[in-house]
Amino acid sequence: MKAIKCIVFGCLMMLFSCKEQPLEAQKTVVVSQASIEKIAPADLKTKIDLDTVQLIDVRTPKEYSKGHIANAQNINFYDADFLTQLSKLDKNKPVYLYCKSGGRSAKASKQLQNAGFSLIYDLKGGFVGWKSAGLPIKN
C-alpha cells in the first residue's frame, strides 16, 4: 500500500511540475557571447598589427620594465583598480593579453569576459613563450 501511495504521489508531482509556467514567471538566462581564444606567439606577431591592437601586459611594472612586447600597455593584474583600468578599453575591439606564462592572463581574460568584452585573446605561454619563439622584445 505504501508503494502505491509513493507511485501515485510521484505521478501527481510529475503532472504538476510539467505544467507550463506563465510567461512572467519564466526566467531568462543570459549566456555570454564573448570568446576567449589562445593565440600562439607567432600568430600574434604575424597576423596582428601590434601598432593598433589593444595589447595588454598584465604583469607587474617591475616585470614589464625588464622587457615586454612592443606597444603593450601595462595594466598590473595585482593593482586594486585593475578592473577600472580594463574598463577604459574598447569592449567592441579585440583585446590581446599576456603575463609571464599564462596564469594571470587567463584570470584576466575571465574578468574581461564577465565585463562584457567581445573578443579576448590570451597569448599561449605568455611572455616566456614569446621570448622562447625568438620574437623581439622591448626594454
Side-chain angles (χ1 to χ4, degrees):
M1 186 62 139
K2 190 175 183 180
I4 293 174
K5 286 182 182 178
C6 287
I7 292 171
V8 170
F9 181 73
C11 289
L12 288 172
M13 290 301 295
M14 284 188 350
L15 178 66
F16 289 111
S17 67
C18 292
K19 185 178 176 185
E20 189 172 326
Q21 296 179 357
L23 185 59
E24 62 273 0
Q26 295 177 6
K27 294 183 180 177
T28 302
V29 177
V30 177
V31 178
S32 173
Q33 297 298 318
S35 67
I36 300 172
E37 295 181 30
K38 295 284 187 180
I39 186 167
D43 289 339
L44 180 62
K45 173 68 176 147
T46 59
K47 296 181 180 177
I48 309 302
D49 181 0
L50 293 175
D51 293 330
T52 61
V53 299
Q54 298 182 110
L55 178 62
I56 310 300
D57 183 329
V58 298
R59 299 177 301 154
T60 66
K62 185 176 180 180
E63 291 173 298
Y64 181 85
S65 69
K66 292 181 181 178
H68 57 273
I69 300 172
N71 299 317
Q73 178 182 354
N74 185 219
I75 302 178
N76 183 3
F77 180 75
Y78 297 120
D79 276 350
D81 67 340
F82 178 69
L83 291 175
T84 302
Q85 291 181 55
L86 288 180
S87 70
K88 295 176 184 174
L89 300 173
D90 187 341
K91 290 183 178 186
N92 298 312
K93 291 183 180 178
V95 178
Y96 297 83
L97 299 167
Y98 72 92
C99 62
K100 181 179 179 182
S101 60
R104 286 174 280 180
S105 59
K107 291 174 187 175
S109 294
K110 288 288 186 191
Q111 291 180 353
L112 284 172
Q113 185 178 42
N114 292 336
F117 283 78
S118 56
L119 285 171
I120 306 150
Y121 294 90
D122 188 4
L123 182 62
K124 287 182 188 175
F127 190 64
V128 171
W130 181 269
K131 287 191 335 183
S132 295
L135 297 168
I137 61 171
K138 185 173 181 174
N139 289 325

